[in-house]
Amino acid sequence: MSALTSPDRDRHATTIATIATAPGSALMPNTADKTDTASAISFVPPSAMTLPRYAGVASFMRAPHLSLDNPVLSEVDIAMVGVPWDGGTTNRPGARHGPRQLRDLSTMIRPKHPVTSQNPFEDRNIADLGDAPVNPADIMDTLESVTGFIAKLKSKGITPLSAGGDHLLSYPILKALASDGPLGMVHFDAHTDLFDSYFNGFKYTHGTPFRRAIEDGYLDPKRVVQIGIRGTMYDGEDVEWGLAQGVRIIRMEEVIDRGIDDVMAEARDIVGMDKTYVSFDIDSVDPAFAPGTGTPEIGGFTSREAQKMIRLLAGLNLVGADLVEVSPPFDPSGGTAWLGISLMYELLCVLAGSNATRNPNRKSG
């Protein structure tokens, strides 16, 4: 039951019920997917005025949880998915536990945006499609599995909003989404993640995803902008390589000097209106606000600045996004996860406002 009702939503729920209960179709044997001919799957999250936040099975922002085999999937526009994996971490692990804590804290999210009054759950049909398959003992197998999972979503017309997990997960996601050509990217991070290799030439860590994505043609480097880079460096080779490819690297000091509005205006110019991905590493935020991450760097964004930057992405041609590197063991209070899921909500809003995120397969209005 939801506190949000309207004739349009009621009509939509009827359409979903018809699809889900049509003769010859059956929902997966999953508790979250079970229904009968008298009930309907609603994409409107239940209100905390009706179902307390601490009650029920946790899904991202209380959206319905659906399996990839559910016949209702053709009606989903945006999928929130977890990638519970940190096999690419080079120092402090724990981000594999991020999606579970993010789901738990997400019960605090209310549907209506406080500034724009946007309700993304009215703009788009949004569901939690569970976690991508991962293998904690095999990096390459995990990369292949995540690519396959996201490719299935893309083939069904569904836009992914992914929760990590370490930052290497962006690479297989970009591989799946860039099957039609390279993407642009707005990247918020303390680190470039443009390193060539770690530990005697190993090419796949959370410090290398965007170098691999550029080399493999999944990102157009001239349409990539990195914002908030800071911290001590090994030798600067990652920055030099990125600049040589055409990546725009905006260090934190430049953001401070110019201001967020000016920097984000440039970021919008760089990516233009072609297809663009957004990647947000929680360590772009100062550890005073986000201590629960594997590689914190002082001198970062405030939580309020992070919200503003994401909001200034509104209107771009966005085809996916991720929020990565929340590591619950380093912040058992859940404060970092609360910040992370709040920023995921901001990402969800700008995704829901993108024309590219409406599923062309939808039969409902």
Side-chain angles (χ1 to χ4, degrees), residues 194 210-211 214-215 219-224 237-249:
L194 291 172
F210 302 124
R211 186 150 178 165
I214 290 171
E215 290 175 340
L219 286 175
D220 175 357
K222 293 181 174 55
R223 294 186 56 240
V224 172
E237 188 274 341
D238 57 316
V239 173
E240 294 171 3
W241 186 89
L243 294 174
Q245 310 311 306
V247 176
R248 176 67 170 103
I249 299 174

mmCIF file of all heavy atoms in Angstrom, residues 194 210-211 214-215 219-224 237-249:
data_model
loop_
_atom_site.group_PDB
_atom_site.id
_atom_site.type_symbol
_atom_site.label_atom_id
_atom_site.label_comp_id
_atom_site.label_asym_id
_atom_site.label_seq_id
_atom_site.Cartn_x
_atom_site.Cartn_y
_atom_site.Cartn_z
ATOM 1 N N LEU A 194 43.343 6.057 -13.250
ATOM 2 C CA LEU A 194 43.932 5.949 -14.590
ATOM 3 C C LEU A 194 45.308 5.284 -14.548
ATOM 4 O O LEU A 194 46.099 5.426 -15.485
ATOM 5 C CB LEU A 194 44.065 7.335 -15.226
ATOM 6 C CG LEU A 194 42.771 8.048 -15.622
ATOM 7 C CD1 LEU A 194 43.059 9.492 -16.046
ATOM 8 C CD2 LEU A 194 42.056 7.302 -16.750
ATOM 9 N N PHE A 210 39.423 3.136 -15.486
ATOM 10 C CA PHE A 210 39.153 4.072 -16.568
ATOM 11 C C PHE A 210 40.277 4.114 -17.605
ATOM 12 O O PHE A 210 40.046 4.469 -18.755
ATOM 13 C CB PHE A 210 38.832 5.454 -15.987
ATOM 14 C CG PHE A 210 37.652 5.389 -15.056
ATOM 15 C CD1 PHE A 210 37.750 5.831 -13.744
ATOM 16 C CD2 PHE A 210 36.464 4.819 -15.470
ATOM 17 C CE1 PHE A 210 36.674 5.726 -12.874
ATOM 18 C CE2 PHE A 210 35.372 4.711 -14.610
ATOM 19 C CZ PHE A 210 35.481 5.169 -13.313
ATOM 20 N N ARG A 211 41.476 3.699 -17.205
ATOM 21 C CA ARG A 211 42.527 3.514 -18.204
ATOM 22 C C ARG A 211 42.157 2.361 -19.129
ATOM 23 O O ARG A 211 42.267 2.459 -20.350
ATOM 24 C CB ARG A 211 43.869 3.244 -17.536
ATOM 25 C CG ARG A 211 45.032 3.191 -18.530
ATOM 26 C CD ARG A 211 46.276 3.637 -17.860
ATOM 27 N NE ARG A 211 47.480 3.593 -18.660
ATOM 28 C CZ ARG A 211 48.595 4.215 -18.328
ATOM 29 N NH1 ARG A 211 48.643 4.917 -17.211
ATOM 30 N NH2 ARG A 211 49.669 4.155 -19.078
ATOM 31 N N ILE A 214 39.248 3.395 -21.439
ATOM 32 C CA ILE A 214 39.684 4.256 -22.547
ATOM 33 C C ILE A 214 40.452 3.435 -23.583
ATOM 34 O O ILE A 214 40.197 3.533 -24.798
ATOM 35 C CB ILE A 214 40.533 5.421 -22.019
ATOM 36 C CG1 ILE A 214 39.652 6.406 -21.228
ATOM 37 C CG2 ILE A 214 41.234 6.152 -23.167
ATOM 38 C CD1 ILE A 214 40.425 7.479 -20.490
ATOM 39 N N GLU A 215 41.383 2.611 -23.125
ATOM 40 C CA GLU A 215 42.164 1.782 -24.043
ATOM 41 C C GLU A 215 41.280 0.848 -24.868
ATOM 42 O O GLU A 215 41.548 0.616 -26.057
ATOM 43 C CB GLU A 215 43.174 0.947 -23.261
ATOM 44 C CG GLU A 215 44.314 1.735 -22.647
ATOM 45 C CD GLU A 215 45.220 0.876 -21.776
ATOM 46 O OE1 GLU A 215 44.782 -0.215 -21.340
ATOM 47 O OE2 GLU A 215 46.364 1.308 -21.519
ATOM 48 N N LEU A 219 35.175 4.372 -23.344
ATOM 49 C CA LEU A 219 35.064 5.796 -23.016
ATOM 50 C C LEU A 219 35.773 6.619 -24.079
ATOM 51 O O LEU A 219 36.858 6.252 -24.544
ATOM 52 C CB LEU A 219 35.706 6.092 -21.654
ATOM 53 C CG LEU A 219 34.971 5.642 -20.394
ATOM 54 C CD1 LEU A 219 35.838 5.912 -19.158
ATOM 55 C CD2 LEU A 219 33.629 6.352 -20.261
ATOM 56 N N ASP A 220 35.168 7.739 -24.442
ATOM 57 C CA ASP A 220 35.816 8.730 -25.294
ATOM 58 C C ASP A 220 36.574 9.686 -24.378
ATOM 59 O O ASP A 220 35.953 10.470 -23.656
ATOM 60 C CB ASP A 220 34.766 9.489 -26.105
ATOM 61 C CG ASP A 220 35.353 10.618 -26.932
ATOM 62 O OD1 ASP A 220 36.581 10.873 -26.861
ATOM 63 O OD2 ASP A 220 34.585 11.284 -27.650
ATOM 64 N N PRO A 221 37.907 9.627 -24.347
ATOM 65 C CA PRO A 221 38.648 10.419 -23.351
ATOM 66 C C PRO A 221 38.412 11.920 -23.473
ATOM 67 O O PRO A 221 38.522 12.641 -22.473
ATOM 68 C CB PRO A 221 40.107 10.056 -23.625
ATOM 69 C CG PRO A 221 40.129 9.540 -25.027
ATOM 70 C CD PRO A 221 38.804 8.860 -25.225
ATOM 71 N N LYS A 222 38.077 12.387 -24.653
ATOM 72 C CA LYS A 222 37.828 13.820 -24.833
ATOM 73 C C LYS A 222 36.470 14.236 -24.283
ATOM 74 O O LYS A 222 36.168 15.422 -24.223
ATOM 75 C CB LYS A 222 37.962 14.186 -26.304
ATOM 76 C CG LYS A 222 39.386 14.046 -26.818
ATOM 77 C CD LYS A 222 39.503 14.433 -28.286
ATOM 78 C CE LYS A 222 40.959 14.432 -28.743
ATOM 79 N NZ LYS A 222 41.647 13.147 -28.497
ATOM 80 N N ARG A 223 35.680 13.257 -23.869
ATOM 81 C CA ARG A 223 34.392 13.522 -23.227
ATOM 82 C C ARG A 223 34.377 12.975 -21.798
ATOM 83 O O ARG A 223 33.326 12.638 -21.261
ATOM 84 C CB ARG A 223 33.239 12.927 -24.039
ATOM 85 C CG ARG A 223 33.044 13.574 -25.403
ATOM 86 C CD ARG A 223 31.791 13.028 -26.108
ATOM 87 N NE ARG A 223 30.621 13.203 -25.270
ATOM 88 C CZ ARG A 223 29.846 12.191 -24.830
ATOM 89 N NH1 ARG A 223 30.137 10.939 -25.135
ATOM 90 N NH2 ARG A 223 28.798 12.449 -24.068
ATOM 91 N N VAL A 224 35.548 12.905 -21.186
ATOM 92 C CA VAL A 224 35.671 12.458 -19.797
ATOM 93 C C VAL A 224 36.184 13.615 -18.956
ATOM 94 O O VAL A 224 37.190 14.256 -19.300
ATOM 95 C CB VAL A 224 36.627 11.253 -19.674
ATOM 96 C CG1 VAL A 224 36.903 10.935 -18.210
ATOM 97 C CG2 VAL A 224 36.052 10.036 -20.390
ATOM 98 N N GLU A 237 52.214 9.631 -13.133
ATOM 99 C CA GLU A 237 52.078 9.059 -14.473
ATOM 100 C C GLU A 237 50.619 8.927 -14.880
ATOM 101 O O GLU A 237 50.276 9.088 -16.063
ATOM 102 C CB GLU A 237 52.773 7.691 -14.517
ATOM 103 C CG GLU A 237 52.872 7.074 -15.920
ATOM 104 C CD GLU A 237 51.649 6.270 -16.321
ATOM 105 O OE1 GLU A 237 50.871 5.865 -15.439
ATOM 106 O OE2 GLU A 237 51.464 6.042 -17.546
ATOM 107 N N ASP A 238 49.742 8.616 -13.921
ATOM 108 C CA ASP A 238 48.319 8.471 -14.235
ATOM 109 C C ASP A 238 47.735 9.774 -14.749
ATOM 110 O O ASP A 238 46.975 9.789 -15.730
ATOM 111 C CB ASP A 238 47.557 7.994 -12.993
ATOM 112 C CG ASP A 238 47.724 8.925 -11.800
ATOM 113 O OD1 ASP A 238 48.859 9.365 -11.528
ATOM 114 O OD2 ASP A 238 46.725 9.213 -11.118
ATOM 115 N N VAL A 239 48.114 10.884 -14.115
ATOM 116 C CA VAL A 239 47.624 12.199 -14.550
ATOM 117 C C VAL A 239 48.196 12.547 -15.925
ATOM 118 O O VAL A 239 47.466 13.000 -16.821
ATOM 119 C CB VAL A 239 47.993 13.279 -13.518
ATOM 120 C CG1 VAL A 239 47.649 14.664 -14.049
ATOM 121 C CG2 VAL A 239 47.275 13.010 -12.193
ATOM 122 N N GLU A 240 49.482 12.321 -16.099
ATOM 123 C CA GLU A 240 50.113 12.634 -17.385
ATOM 124 C C GLU A 240 49.484 11.833 -18.518
ATOM 125 O O GLU A 240 49.233 12.370 -19.607
ATOM 126 C CB GLU A 240 51.618 12.349 -17.306
ATOM 127 C CG GLU A 240 52.369 13.270 -16.350
ATOM 128 C CD GLU A 240 53.807 12.820 -16.133
ATOM 129 O OE1 GLU A 240 54.224 11.829 -16.780
ATOM 130 O OE2 GLU A 240 54.501 13.446 -15.307
ATOM 131 N N TRP A 241 49.232 10.549 -18.273
ATOM 132 C CA TRP A 241 48.617 9.714 -19.309
ATOM 133 C C TRP A 241 47.219 10.213 -19.644
ATOM 134 O O TRP A 241 46.843 10.326 -20.814
ATOM 135 C CB TRP A 241 48.557 8.258 -18.844
ATOM 136 C CG TRP A 241 48.071 7.318 -19.917
ATOM 137 C CD1 TRP A 241 48.817 6.666 -20.840
ATOM 138 C CD2 TRP A 241 46.705 6.937 -20.153
ATOM 139 N NE1 TRP A 241 48.016 5.899 -21.647
ATOM 140 C CE2 TRP A 241 46.706 6.045 -21.255
ATOM 141 C CE3 TRP A 241 45.485 7.257 -19.553
ATOM 142 C CZ2 TRP A 241 45.539 5.470 -21.764
ATOM 143 C CZ3 TRP A 241 44.313 6.689 -20.054
ATOM 144 C CH2 TRP A 241 44.355 5.808 -21.145
ATOM 145 N N GLY A 242 46.441 10.522 -18.610
ATOM 146 C CA GLY A 242 45.087 11.001 -18.840
ATOM 147 C C GLY A 242 45.056 12.295 -19.638
ATOM 148 O O GLY A 242 44.288 12.433 -20.596
ATOM 149 N N LEU A 243 45.909 13.236 -19.274
ATOM 150 C CA LEU A 243 45.961 14.507 -20.003
ATOM 151 C C LEU A 243 46.368 14.290 -21.456
ATOM 152 O O LEU A 243 45.832 14.940 -22.369
ATOM 153 C CB LEU A 243 46.932 15.463 -19.312
ATOM 154 C CG LEU A 243 46.532 15.935 -17.904
ATOM 155 C CD1 LEU A 243 47.654 16.765 -17.280
ATOM 156 C CD2 LEU A 243 45.232 16.738 -17.957
ATOM 157 N N ALA A 244 47.277 13.367 -21.682
ATOM 158 C CA ALA A 244 47.730 13.088 -23.051
ATOM 159 C C ALA A 244 46.608 12.504 -23.908
ATOM 160 O O ALA A 244 46.595 12.679 -25.131
ATOM 161 C CB ALA A 244 48.915 12.126 -23.015
ATOM 162 N N GLN A 245 45.654 11.807 -23.271
ATOM 163 C CA GLN A 245 44.527 11.239 -24.019
ATOM 164 C C GLN A 245 43.408 12.254 -24.244
ATOM 165 O O GLN A 245 42.496 12.004 -25.028
ATOM 166 C CB GLN A 245 43.936 10.026 -23.275
ATOM 167 C CG GLN A 245 44.935 8.992 -22.832
ATOM 168 C CD GLN A 245 45.903 8.571 -23.907
ATOM 169 O OE1 GLN A 245 45.482 8.160 -24.988
ATOM 170 N NE2 GLN A 245 47.194 8.663 -23.605
ATOM 171 N N GLY A 246 43.460 13.379 -23.518
ATOM 172 C CA GLY A 246 42.409 14.381 -23.645
ATOM 173 C C GLY A 246 41.442 14.430 -22.485
ATOM 174 O O GLY A 246 40.451 15.169 -22.534
ATOM 175 N N VAL A 247 41.704 13.662 -21.424
ATOM 176 C CA VAL A 247 40.842 13.696 -20.241
ATOM 177 C C VAL A 247 40.994 15.048 -19.546
ATOM 178 O O VAL A 247 42.115 15.549 -19.378
ATOM 179 C CB VAL A 247 41.205 12.560 -19.262
ATOM 180 C CG1 VAL A 247 40.377 12.653 -17.984
ATOM 181 C CG2 VAL A 247 41.012 11.199 -19.938
ATOM 182 N N ARG A 248 39.890 15.635 -19.141
ATOM 183 C CA ARG A 248 39.932 16.888 -18.380
ATOM 184 C C ARG A 248 39.962 16.524 -16.895
ATOM 185 O O ARG A 248 39.017 15.951 -16.352
ATOM 186 C CB ARG A 248 38.704 17.735 -18.687
ATOM 187 C CG ARG A 248 38.618 19.029 -17.864
ATOM 188 C CD ARG A 248 39.716 20.020 -18.220
ATOM 189 N NE ARG A 248 39.463 21.320 -17.602
ATOM 190 C CZ ARG A 248 40.090 21.782 -16.525
ATOM 191 N NH1 ARG A 248 41.040 21.042 -15.929
ATOM 192 N NH2 ARG A 248 39.800 22.978 -16.038
ATOM 193 N N ILE A 249 41.065 16.838 -16.242
ATOM 194 C CA ILE A 249 41.255 16.527 -14.829
ATOM 195 C C ILE A 249 41.188 17.827 -14.027
ATOM 196 O O ILE A 249 42.023 18.725 -14.217
ATOM 197 C CB ILE A 249 42.600 15.814 -14.594
ATOM 198 C CG1 ILE A 249 42.621 14.482 -15.371
ATOM 199 C CG2 ILE A 249 42.830 15.570 -13.105
ATOM 200 C CD1 ILE A 249 43.961 13.765 -15.321
#
